[in-house]
Amino acid sequence: MGVAAATVLHAGAIVAQDAAGHAVPASTATTLKAVGRAEQAVDNSLGAAGDKTVRVRRGVFRYANSAGADEITAAEVGDTCYLVDDQTVAKTSGTNTRSAAGKVRGIEARGVWVLFS
């Protein structure tokens, strides 16, 4: 997948697709589509859109849980979770400020297991 201009992706981070179809780090935004996990680090900070590519894997991966009212619990297994940043997911859309990440497949003390399909 082509990486957006002026963008750095970290290995293992949540990758999203922007409106132009380029890979970007997941963030709090309503215009992103979560596509999976970055399989390697890519630094396109000096490049134009598509100058570099990233391998993205779909599947179930563990990410950090949000806190407070947005903390995901066992009650949310099977529900959609939402992007906070490239390593964190939340229970709610933050009053329609976050894009969907994927489906919650499990919860443990170390994080949330999320299905990217």
Side-chain angles (χ1 to χ4, degrees):
M1 169 176 230
V3 178
T7 297
V8 174
L9 296 169
H10 300 285
I14 303 171
V15 176
Q17 181 177 337
D18 67 13
H22 297 105
V24 296
S27 63
T28 297
T30 59
T31 58
L32 300 177
K33 179 180 179 183
V35 292
R37 179 182 74 183
E39 290 298 288
Q40 82 271 13
V42 177
D43 185 346
N44 197 32
S45 57
L46 300 177
D51 279 358
K52 296 200 176 177
T53 60
V54 63
R55 286 188 319 272
V56 178
R57 178 171 290 180
R58 295 182 187 277
V60 179
F61 308 104
R62 186 183 66 225
Y63 289 100
N65 198 347
S66 197
D70 270 331
E71 183 174 358
I72 297 168
T73 68
E76 282 78 51
V77 171
D79 291 350
T80 299
C81 59
Y82 297 86
L83 301 172
V84 174
D85 56 35
D86 68 351
Q87 58 190 335
T88 311
V89 292
K91 176 169 52 174
T92 73
S93 68
T95 317
N96 298 317
T97 61
R98 300 179 184 129
S99 296
K103 296 288 185 184
V104 176
R105 286 295 177 240
I107 182 80
E108 60 184 50
R110 296 183 304 162
V112 179
W113 291 92
V114 180
L115 170 64
F116 297 91
S117 55

